[in-house]
Amino acid sequence: RRGKRHKAQCGSVNVLGGAPYGYRYITKNDGAGIARYEIAEREAAVVRKIFTWVGEDRLSIGDVKRHLENEGIPSPRGKTWWDRTTIWGILKNPAYEGKAAFGKTRVGPLRPRIKACRGGSLQPRVPHSVYDVPQDEWLTIPVPSLVDENLFTAVQAQLDENRRCSRTGKRGARYLLQGLISCACCHYAYYGKAVSSSARKGHTRNYAYYRCIGSDAYRFGGQRLCSNTQVRTDRLEEAVWSSVCDLVREPQMVHAEYQRRLSDLQSAPKSDGLNTVEKQIAGLKRSIERLIDGYAEGYIDKSEGRIEAATNVWRFFQTCLK
């Protein structure tokens, strides 16, 4: 981590992990010993269009999305449709004004989660979450600019104005089971969707619908991933509430489920724990070797090396005790 920060302070683009859309990453071997960003003119023209539409024509991100798709411009991943978050990420990236940033995020404790991510578990093997770092703590690396600094500033001001003037309804959890249920077919989450005025047909509807994300064709380039139907909020919430009441009336069901999960953990093979310890031992050896090399080259002093080595050993013993 110290080495990457040192390279970023020296202006090396190696630590950025790859070139954003509009650039091409030139490695040290291809760049005469110096890694750098090279402008990809075809993609750079698209980036300039996006900034012009927002900064000068004052279009919204939704309008930019429609313009790109109508012109048949493929997305950075080669798809025929553009996601709004992709466009927003391009407009917020300071690299396009010639100031690529390192250290924009940091790793921290795992945030509370109400459901597992699609294709993952509720408690991941390495529990952590990514947090944003204040902009004044970023490390700036000079790269070739694609847009003028004044245009980049105008785009940021326009994005702030669009956010203030947005007519989007109130955000947040508006439905009881929002974010808690997922589809049994495609495992995407269900979200709450109000009944449109055309679907009401002049009648008052006191309910909404829970709908699978995979059934929305517009999210996946016009092709639905799931054929599961939507369900009324009042009926699903009533069914869930009835199950909760039954569980409260019969607490032995909770005890039986607890015993079942406990027996599954006790009967699980111990090879995973052994593999984890072996990986920790190998990592500790590599850490000691790096400390020896750093001390030999004069990057760290003797006392600092002892402290870091003792910390690594203590972490290893903590893992063994767990």
Side-chain angles (χ1 to χ4, degrees):
R1 188 161 56 246
R2 287 199 302 267
K4 293 182 72 173
R5 290 187 63 85
H6 175 71
K7 283 190 175 183
Q9 292 171 349
C10 295
S12 176
V13 300
N14 304 63
V15 298
L16 297 179
Y21 182 73
Y23 293 100
R24 186 181 299 105
Y25 179 72
I26 305 299
T27 62
K28 293 174 62 176
N29 296 332
D30 299 335
I34 301 176
R36 68 179 188 275
Y37 280 176
E38 187 177 87
I39 297 177
E41 292 298 336
R42 186 175 180 178
E43 298 176 352
V46 178
V47 173
R48 295 188 183 100
K49 274 187 177 181
I50 294 174
F51 274 88
T52 302
W53 285 335
V54 176
E56 297 181 1
D57 300 340
R58 305 185 65 182
L59 299 183
S60 65
I61 291 181
D63 293 332
V64 173
K65 168 185 167 64
R66 286 185 283 271
H67 276 66
L68 293 171
E69 293 175 353
N70 292 336
E71 293 187 12
I73 299 175
S75 69
R77 295 191 176 184
K79 298 179 180 179
T80 57
W81 72 93
W82 285 73
D83 193 270
R84 286 177 170 81
T85 56
T86 302
I87 301 173
W88 183 87
I90 291 175
L91 295 172
K92 298 295 290 187
N93 194 339
Y96 294 117
E97 65 168 341
K99 303 174 182 177
F102 173 78
K104 294 188 290 186
T105 58
R106 63 177 177 84
V107 175
L110 181 67
R111 295 188 182 94
R113 307 166 76 179
I114 57 177
K115 65 181 289 292
C117 296
R118 181 174 181 267
S121 60
L122 183 61
Q123 295 297 330
R125 185 174 61 88
V126 182
H128 69 272
S129 295
V130 179
Y131 296 83
D132 292 331
V133 174
Q135 188 171 353
D136 55 357
E137 298 181 14
W138 295 356
L139 296 178
T140 302
I141 302 175
V143 296
S145 61
L146 294 186
V147 298
D148 183 72
E149 184 176 353
N150 295 330
L151 178 59
F152 187 87
T153 304
V155 166
Q156 308 312 308
Q158 186 62 40
L159 291 177
D160 293 338
E161 182 179 348
N162 292 346
R163 188 182 299 109
R164 290 194 303 269
C165 300
S166 176
R167 292 175 294 179
T168 305
K170 183 172 60 176
R171 298 179 181 272
R174 299 165 51 192
Y175 304 95
L176 181 63
L177 303 178
Q178 180 174 337
L180 294 173
I181 53 179
S182 59
C183 178
C185 296
C186 64
H187 304 292
Y188 275 106
Y190 267 69
Y191 68 95
K193 182 177 179 65
V195 181
S196 63
S197 56
S198 59
R200 293 174 189 163
K201 298 180 180 180
H203 301 285
T204 302
R205 306 291 184 181
N206 297 324
Y207 58 86
Y209 284 95
Y210 287 115
R211 183 178 176 87
C212 175
I213 291 178
S215 62
D216 292 338
Y218 74 92
R219 299 178 186 268
F220 307 99
Q223 185 67 33
R224 295 179 58 176
L225 301 183
C226 181
S227 59
N228 211 349
T229 58
Q230 57 189 9
V231 59
R232 282 175 48 167
T233 55
D234 55 345
R235 295 176 180 174
L236 183 59
E237 291 169 2
E238 183 180 357
V240 172
W241 179 247
S242 299
S243 300
V244 172
C245 292
D246 294 340
L247 192 64
V248 173
R249 295 190 191 102
E250 301 180 11
Q252 63 271 17
M253 295 175 60
V254 181
H255 184 264
E257 178 66 16
Y258 172 75
Q259 293 296 334
R260 186 190 66 81
R261 297 190 182 190
L262 185 62
S263 61
D264 291 343
L265 290 175
Q266 293 175 349
S267 61
K270 304 299 182 181
S271 58
D272 293 341
L274 182 60
N275 292 335
T276 302
V277 173
E278 291 177 351
K279 290 180 181 179
Q280 289 285 340
I281 293 175
L284 181 61
K285 290 180 179 180
R286 290 194 299 268
S287 178
I288 293 175
E289 292 175 358
R290 287 195 296 267
L291 288 174
I292 294 174
D293 294 338
Y295 175 70
E297 296 293 336
Y299 294 122
I300 59 176
D301 55 18
K302 192 173 182 179
S303 59
E304 186 178 5
R306 285 178 175 175
I307 293 173
E308 189 162 350
T311 303
N312 291 331
V313 173
W314 173 246
R315 290 174 180 171
F316 167 70
F317 279 116
Q318 281 184 323
T319 303
C320 293
L321 290 175
K322 291 180 181 178

